[in-house]
Structures are given as C-alpha cells and as structure tokens.
C-alpha cells in the first residue's frame, strides 16, 4: 500500500482561469494541471512524475459546460465525459463525439474524467508508465521496440525512436470533426486545429501535445461544418469496459445525395497522434458508399504500415475498421 | 529549502528516511498512534479518535515515516484542516494535499465499508457517491470534495438501521459471493435506481459495468438490481 502514497506536493485550487495561469507560469515544468485525475493520479501514485505544485482545475466554473456559438458549439475543457456523452446538443449535431466519449474507460471514470484531460492524456506505454528511463522519459533507448519487447499495443505508423500510441478515444473524433483547441497562457490565447494539436515523437518525443507547461487548454470548439454529417465510431479493445483501444476509428461523411462530398477518417492507437487516413478519404470523395469503395478505402488506409513483433494484428484490424466506417455498417 | 523540496520525488524510499522526530515535532500527540512505538494498535487509536469526536489528525495511519511533513498551511496552497459532509454528518479532518478520499474515509474516519481493491481506478471496490454520482474514491483527492455530499455504504441504512432496498434485494438474490466488491456494487446500484427507478436489464448492466467482481457474480448482482427496482 505504501507505494500508493503520493509524494508531497502543494495543492492549489484556483477559482478562476487567471489565477490558474499565474500558477502555471510560476511553477513551469514543476507544476501539474489536474483535471479528472485519471491519468494524473496514476503518475503521482507510482511516483513516475514528481511535480512541486498540483493545480487543481476542478473549481474553475468557466472551464465547464457546453455552449452554442455563432458557428458551432464550444465545450469547456473541464466538461466531464459523462456530460459530453449525454448532452443533447452534442448528441443532436456531433453524435460522433458523444459516441467516442461513451467508449472511454468505465462509468465512474467518465463521471470525473474530462474531455480536456482525455485529449491531453499521456501515452499508456507500460515501459514508460512503469518508470523506466526510455527516450520519452529522457533516456536513450526504447524498451518497447526491442526484439523481445511486448509491443502488442504499440504503433504501426509514424514511429520515430518512440513507438507509443495515443490512447484516447475522443482524440480521433475531435480530429475528424475539424475541432479547434482554445489554449491560453498568461500572454494570451491561441486557437489550434485539432490535427495540429497532437505531437509526433519526431518533433518532440517528451510530450503528447503541443502544450507548453504554462498553457491551459480552455475549450474545444466544434464548427458546424461537420454538424449532422453521417458519423461512424467503433473501438476494438480486449474488454468493453476500462480497456484502452487496440484500434479505434472515428469517421465523418458529408453527403451530397448518395455521393460523399467530403470525408474524415481517423484512427486512434495506431500512431502517436490520431492518424488521418488521407488516402482512404481521397478514395471515397465523390463516390457512393459501396462495399467495393469501402474495401479499397480499407486497403489504402493501411498502406505503408510497419508493424512490430506483436502488433501485426493491428493492420487488418485497422483495415476492417476503415472499411466498416465507409460502409457505415 | 522549502518543505516540499525536502520531500524529494525520487523512489518511495526517499521520504521514508525522514526522521520520525520531524513529524513528531509538528504533531506531538500523533506519535502515539505509531504502533511501533506503543502498544496501541492503529485501529484502537483511530476508533478512539473517531469516538471522541475530535478532529482526526493526519499522521495516524500513514505513519510518521512515510508522510511528507508539510505545515498545516502551505503558502497559497490548500489548508489541511477541512470539513467533509459524509453520510449527512459534518466531519472535521486533517487531510494531506495528496490524500485520496478512500484513504480519508477508511483510515481517518473509520468508514471501512468502502473497500480498496486496486487503488488505480480499475476495479470499482472503492465506489462512493459524491452528490449522488458514482466515483472511485481511490482516485479522488479528498480536498476536491469539501462541501460536497459524500455517501458511503455506511450511509444507506434507514433510521432504525434497516438495510437499504438494494441491500435487501442483494441478500434475497444471494448476490455477493465473497463480498469484497459488494459495497461498490451497492453504491453503483443505488445511484442507478435514484436516477432511473425502472431500468432495463441492459441499462443496469451498463450502470454496473464499472464494478468488477472477482467471484464473477455479475448475474446475481443484476438480479438483485432488478429485484430492487421491482420492489421499491
Ligand atoms: C483504468 C483506466 C482506463 C481507461 N480507459 C480509457 C479508454 O478506454 N479510453 C480513453 O480514451 N481513455 C481511457 N482512460 C483515460 C481516462 O479517460 C483519462 O485519464 C481521462 O480522460 C483523462 O482525463 P482527466 O480529466 O482524468 O485528466 P487528468 O488525469 O487530470 O489529466 C490528464 C493529463 O492532461 C493534462 N490536462 C488535463 N486537463 C488539462 C487542460 N485543461 N489543459 C492542459 N492540460 C490538461 C494533465 O496535466 C495531465 O497531464 C482510462 C483511464 C484509466 C485510469
Ligand atoms: S514506446 Fe516510447 S514511451 Fe514506450 S518505451 Fe519506447 S520510447 Fe518509451
Ligand atoms: S480501488 Fe478504486 S477502483 Fe479499484
Ligand atoms: S463477490 Fe467476491 S468479488 Fe464480487
């Protein structure tokens, strides 16, 4: 039980964004943003990370809630996954995200876990989470890519020293919806396209998103451009509850009669960032959603995959998920 | 050097080495609770404190050696002495910044009905209600739930000690086997029936899906939930 005691830190519970930003600025990389805590507390209990100050965002009401804007909806970063799953506005217009949220973890985790935290969460590579000093932890090797390594859950695309994957079920959905991430720090606000929010190891192996230690994700905007499109979400995991995706797919098809005017097909857990299957998207544009088109889209999506010793199954799995997404089956 | 610098963030052993005297200097009365230095058992000590209604202080269970000594108030951080609303009672308690609700409930407030299975949000044994909604208390910082209405399995009994309808239905259906997961299952079922008194079996299955049962008594629990819904 003693390993479950978190090491000491100062706990701050700011009531507004300004105070939180001041604290983040003051503590820099010795500070830790705490949302639902379902990624955070794991790190703190295992003593894999050791912040001096934990900044609990829970009390900041302005970070919560779902609002309609002139060109879509805006979801506060601290909105819980349960709210995302059950909110009428999201269900009506962007059911893809509600579906994705429903597939996360377990009911209790969704009751506290937040959309912002789900998008910012760290990878679940267990070598790294176990606390070994791999590349991502600042060391000089990758334990998961070694020939005898257990890498069933790892990447089939985009490896660059690190072969870890994005574990999030919501991330592919926000990328498919062309969401915008509203980020603030003490110097101001910037808006980042969801597709540019996630970090490739080839650019910075130490973090999963573009956020700097002093940044706060305040909201996620869903533009109406994809409202009420034809959506498809599917997740394959070992168990229906708790388990992270082995592969998931989030897809949106804007239809013009029976032909596809535009498409977004995004897979999670196959790369460090949510992977847009651009060649599959190109293939379906202007087509009707037939079995034949679906089959070619699936095959196109996995072109160039580079599986590791134990995750070869992810290639046909991803292929079939993309195919099913196009079929809408 | 600040106190938090002292704690270090290395392996668990770093903080364990801190001299007991340091903690003792801060809270001299608490050292009595350390089973290694007296004949008191921790359980007796905690029970005594709970019974006396005194504020439950921080270091009793945690043991002086493994706790980072922090001043009662840290610069700008949370105050350690807080009030919790547990099962309709206001409880004053001294809570460390990194303390989880499961720890506070079990080891400071004596509410051991809430179980700790995995301590990693992976089993559901620690499920409690916060504002009527299910949460894993092993993964909730206690400082977050100041002023919130917390309900544990101990808080379900009626005015004359009679079991809650969900508990009665679980008894009637022989739902528990070993019983370790039962308090969590009860809390998940109570929350479900409060918000949806007539669930379908499928709705109940989803609502109960965040609670593992090592004995595999899932169907018996579902039978219990459906009976509770019928009989309520
Ligand atoms: C047993 C278990 C099973 C799980 N299964 C799944 C699953 O199947 N699918 C899935 O998608 N997820 C799963 N998760 C992950 C869980 O959903 C995420 O941990 C949770 O969504 C993270 O959100 P949180 O609010 O708890 O964030 P926290 O844990 O508090 O934060 C996560 C990270 O994001 C940072 N952060 C949080 N909010 C912000 C913000 N507003 N701005 C900047 N940074 C921020 C934190 O500093 C931290 O680094 C699982 C977790 C557990 C424990
Ligand atoms: S996959 Fe990445 S996170 Fe995992 S061991 Fe290799 S470098 Fe570390
Ligand atoms: S002890 Fe909290 S979920 Fe297992
Ligand atoms: S009854 Fe034994 S774990 Fe559920």
């Amino acid at each position: 039980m003693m390993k479950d005691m978190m090491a000491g830190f100062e706990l701050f519970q700011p009531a507004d964004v300004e105070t939180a930003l001041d604290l983040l600025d003051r503590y820099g990389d010795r500070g830790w943003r705490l949302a639902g805590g379902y990624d955070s507390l794991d790190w703190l209990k295992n003593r894999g990370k050791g912040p001096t100050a934990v900044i609990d965002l829970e009390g900041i009401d302005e970070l919560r809630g779902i609002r309609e804007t002139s060109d879509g909806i805006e979801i506060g970063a601290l909105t819980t996954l349960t709210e995302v799953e059950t909110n009428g506005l999201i269900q009506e217009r962007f059911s893809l995200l509600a579906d994705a949220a429903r597939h996360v973890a377990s009911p209790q985790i969704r009751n506290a876990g937040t959309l912002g935290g789900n998008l910012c969460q760290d990878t679940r590579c267990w070598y790294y989470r176990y606390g070994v000093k791999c590349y991502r932890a600042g060391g000089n090797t990758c334990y998961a890519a070694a020939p005898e390594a257990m890498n069933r859950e790892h990447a089939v695309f985009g490896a660059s020293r690190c072969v870890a994957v994005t574990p999030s079920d919501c991330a592919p959905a926000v990328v498919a919806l062309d969401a915008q991430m509203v980020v603030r720090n003490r110097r101001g606000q910037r808006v980042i396209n969801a597709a540019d929010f996630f970090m490739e190891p080839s650019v910075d192996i130490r973090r999963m998103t573009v956020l700097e230690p002093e940044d706060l994700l305040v909201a996620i905007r869903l533009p109406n451009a994809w409202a009420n499109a034809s959506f498809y979400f599917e997740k394959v995991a070992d168990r229906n509850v708790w388990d992270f995706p082995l592969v998931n797919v989030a897809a949106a098809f804007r239809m013009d009669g029976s032909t596809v005017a535009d498409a977004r097909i995004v897979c999670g857990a196959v790369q460090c960032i949510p992977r847009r299957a651009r060649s599959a998207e190109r293939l379906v544009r202007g087509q009707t959603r037939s079995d034949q088109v679906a089959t070619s889209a699936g095959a196109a999506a996995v072109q160039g995959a580079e599986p590791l010793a134990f995750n070869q199954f992810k290639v046909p799995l991803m292929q079939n998920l993309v195919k099913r997404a196009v079929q809408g089956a | 050097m600040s106190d938090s610098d002292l704690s270090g963030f290395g392996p668990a052993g770093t903080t364990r080495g801190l001299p007991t005297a340091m903690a003792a200097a801060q809270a001299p009365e608490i050292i009595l609770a350390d089973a290694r230095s007296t004949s008191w058992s921790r359980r007796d000590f905690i029970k005594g404190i709970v019974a006396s209604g005194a504020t439950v202080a921080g270091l009793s269970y945690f043991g002086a050696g493994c706790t980072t000594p922090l001043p009662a108030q840290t610069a700008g951080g949370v105050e350690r002495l807080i009030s919790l609303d547990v099962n309709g009672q206001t409880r004053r308690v001294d809570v460390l910044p990194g303390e989880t609700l499961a720890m506070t409930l079990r080891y400071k407030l004596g509410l051991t009905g809430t179980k700790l299975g995995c301590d990693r949000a992976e089993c559901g044994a620690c499920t409690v209600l916060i504002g009527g909604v299910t949460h894993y208390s092993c993964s909730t910082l206690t400082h977050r739930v100041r002023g919130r209405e917390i309900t544990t399995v101990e808080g379900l009994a009626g005015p004359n000690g009679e079991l809650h309808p969900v508990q009665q239905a679980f008894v009637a259906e022989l739902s528990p086997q070993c019983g370790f997961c039962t308090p969590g299952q009860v809390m998940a079922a109570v929350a479900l029936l409060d918000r949806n008194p007539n669930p379908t079996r499928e709705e109940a299955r989803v609502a109960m899906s965040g609670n593992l049962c090592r004995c595999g008594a899932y169907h018996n629990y579902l039978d219990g939930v459906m009976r509770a819904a019928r009989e309520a």
Side-chain angles (χ1 to χ4, degrees), chain A residues 91 98 122 197 206 234 259 296:
Chain A
Q91 282 184 340
D122 210 339
F197 181 73
R206 301 295 305 273
E234 188 171 354
T259 57
S296 350

Side-chain angles (χ1 to χ4, degrees), chain A residues 32-41 57 77-78 81 103-105 109 112-114 116-118 120-122 124 167-170 211 215-218 235 242-245, chain B residues 120-122:
Chain A
W32 186 279
R33 295 157 289 216
L34 181 71
Y38 278 101
D39 181 16
S40 302
L41 294 197
L57 306 171
L78 260 273
L81 294 166
H103 283 83
V104 171
I109 293 178
T114 65
N118 190 270
C120 295
Q121 64 177 308
D122 210 339
R124 288 274 162 176
S168 167
D169 282 310
C170 298
L211 295 184
D215 288 338
L216 192 63
L217 174 64
V218 294
K235 164 181 179 174
W242 274 294
D243 278 341
F244 288 90
Chain B
R120 288 295 183 283
E122 289 171 17

